[in-house]
Amino acid sequence: MSLLRSLPRPLSSALVVATVLLTPALAVGQQPAARDTAREVPAARPADVESIDAIMRAVYDVISGPAGQPRDWNRFRSLMAPGARLIPTGKRPDGTGVLRVWTAEEYITNAGAQLERTGFFEREIGRKMERYGNVVHLMSAYDSKRALTDPAPFARGVNSFQLFFDGTRWWVVTIYWEAETSGNPIPPALLFDRRDREVR
């Protein structure tokens, strides 16, 4: 989820790419707006939410597309649990860490126009999963390009996903991410090998 300029580099990732700090967002410790927890969730495509792999593919797919192509934000909303949060992180000029906390609607407002204007393709390049009952945590490595034909990604990083299974479908509860830097490369253990990548 890539996107931040003012929070220096560590804030760039797949669901976002360069506007984060230019818009109001919640600081650590503030309470999110209650309105988002009661928002009406559009019906999801059954194929998007039938499994962990399915919902992960859907998240990366729905934010990706060429410049000028509107994203299907109702599909995006359908993947997110009421009250879901999207949290980019980064560093201030003095080196201290900072994060932003967005609702699904705030992500659409703050990041959506940028993704559609510049073109944005993000894919999963590795994953590590832990599960307890209906609660799942995934460390999902990603890379981001402006166009599928770009020879190299402009950003890589790791998205921390929290997912929930309600007995009939999967939901995204949180996506919390940090961009890769030269001083903090993605660990090899989080990357798919070539065979895994071809399967996915």
Side-chain angles (χ1 to χ4, degrees):
M1 313 228 41
S2 181
L3 221 180
L4 299 145
R5 236 175 234 166
S6 317
L7 270 189
R9 288 238 143 141
L11 263 181
S12 84
S13 161
L15 296 177
V16 200
V17 170
T19 354
V20 175
L21 294 182
L22 305 178
T23 55
L26 296 174
V28 180
Q30 288 184 306
Q31 291 301 310
R35 57 178 167 41
D36 189 68
T37 61
R39 69 179 172 84
E40 188 171 337
V41 178
R45 303 176 186 180
D48 280 351
V49 295
E50 65 185 3
S51 68
I52 292 169
D53 281 345
I55 198 166
M56 293 295 287
R57 279 194 301 269
V59 169
Y60 283 108
D61 182 58
V62 76
I63 61 171
S64 297
Q69 176 179 293
R71 304 303 190 263
D72 184 348
W73 293 117
N74 268 343
R75 184 185 180 201
F76 177 84
R77 292 180 179 100
S78 78
L79 305 174
M80 303 291 150
R85 294 295 178 260
L86 297 102
I87 308 171
T89 69
K91 289 186 187 294
R92 299 183 181 93
D94 66 3
T96 58
V98 62
L99 57 77
R100 293 297 191 189
V101 180
W102 286 336
T103 65
E105 293 304 313
E106 287 167 336
Y107 176 81
I108 293 167
T109 299
N110 295 336
Q114 177 77 9
L115 300 181
E116 294 173 358
R117 181 168 55 252
T118 61
F120 185 78
F121 290 87
E122 190 163 272
R123 63 174 181 162
E124 186 176 54
I125 59 172
R127 184 193 298 177
K128 188 176 180 97
M129 183 178 86
E130 295 179 318
R131 179 172 183 174
Y132 178 74
N134 293 322
V135 174
V136 166
H137 175 236
L138 292 163
M139 294 293 277
S140 175
Y142 67 83
D143 68 17
S144 307
K145 294 182 176 183
R146 298 295 183 201
L148 284 176
T149 54
D150 289 349
F154 70 86
R156 301 197 328 164
V158 175
N159 292 316
S160 171
F161 278 78
Q162 283 70 51
L163 304 179
F164 176 68
F165 185 65
D166 68 3
T168 60
R169 58 156 290 180
W170 287 93
W171 299 89
V172 175
V173 178
T174 309
I175 309 174
Y176 174 41
W177 68 92
E178 181 167 338
E180 182 180 48
T181 64
S182 58
N184 187 31
I186 298 172
L190 277 182
L191 298 172
F192 294 137
D193 65 27
R194 182 173 298 175
R195 189 167 58 96
D196 285 335
R197 201 175 296 183
E198 288 170 357
V199 169
R200 291 176 188 275

